[in-house]
Amino acid sequence: MTTHKIYLNPTPVRIWHWLHALGIVTLILSGLQIRFPEYVNLFGTYKSAIRLHNTAGIVVALSFVLWFGYYALIAGSLAKLYIPGKHDIQRGLWLQGVYYFFNFFRGRPNPHHATPENKFNALQKSAYMVIMLMLVPLVTLTGLALLYIAPAWSLVNMVGGLKILVNLHFLCACALCAFVFTHVYLATLGVTPWAHFKPMWDGWEEIEEKH
Ligand code: HEM
């Protein structure tokens, strides 16, 4: 068996990913305290939880701009990597689902092989598209509107009032939270539990070739 390496994740992607992950985990924990102050107290006072939540929100908004700017303007590969094609929808989603639910546990090989031009399997592509192009922008926009309520008043009215905006923000946050748990679990289903973490840390994926 020989191995070779491919450079899968350029530096801006890795910086974005870990900044974003840290920001979102901080948002979830501080958001829990803000929403359920009678049950959760992780950051001292209510005011300090709000201050941390607002700061992490700005970090996530800025890191989203880094992600979008890199993929859309510099690499030019946003649509190619993140939008599922006909083949992904017709066959890829099914094959990958069968792999995650059954074949992984029978020791069968992953039907998708990552390359820099086609990094994600059909399920990853679909999930990452919904998360990065819909959910993260929506949770960021509703969060920024709550933070800068006076200048965003027309947006607040557009969605039907403050109560609806707050609940929309909370529902998006719950969906993001569900994604994070699923994402971290699926990321451990590589050849070894750390195989997918390494390329997101140092950029390089190791491929084993059987002869
Ligand atoms: C909380 C801790 C997190 C861990 C441990 C983690 C882990 C990983 C790992 C190992 C990968 C590479 C393998 C793969 O593509 O599945 C990855 C990629 C990715 N993660 Fe995460 N993640 C975390 C949080 C997040 C969050 C909060 C988001 C977005 C809301 C996110 C979005 C993504 C995206 C879009 C990719 C693909 C990036 C690219 O190559 O362009 N991750 N993550």
Side-chain angles (χ1 to χ4, degrees), residues 129-151:
M129 176 185 71
V130 172
I131 298 298
M132 295 308 296
L133 295 172
M134 296 176 206
L135 216 53
V136 170
L138 197 59
V139 82
T140 308
L141 215 66
T142 50
L144 286 174
L146 289 168
L147 186 57
Y148 301 108
I149 197 98

Side-chain angles (χ1 to χ4, degrees), residues 9 13 16-18 20-21 24-25 67 71 82 119-120 124 128 131-132 136 176 179-180 183-184 187 196-197 200:
N9 294 312
V13 171
W16 155 74
H17 181 268
W18 294 117
H20 206 246
I24 295 227
V25 170
W67 171 82
Y71 273 122
Y82 277 82
K119 267 201 286 191
F120 308 134
Q124 283 173 312
Y128 293 161
I131 298 298
M132 295 308 296
V136 170
L176 255 183
F179 162 77
V180 172
H183 176 58
V184 175
H196 292 317
F197 287 79
M200 197 37 99

Side-chain angles (χ1 to χ4, degrees), residues 188-204:
T188 64
L189 302 188
V191 178
T192 66
W194 297 109
H196 292 317
F197 287 79
K198 189 189 163 290
M200 197 37 99
W201 186 253
D202 68 6
W204 293 90

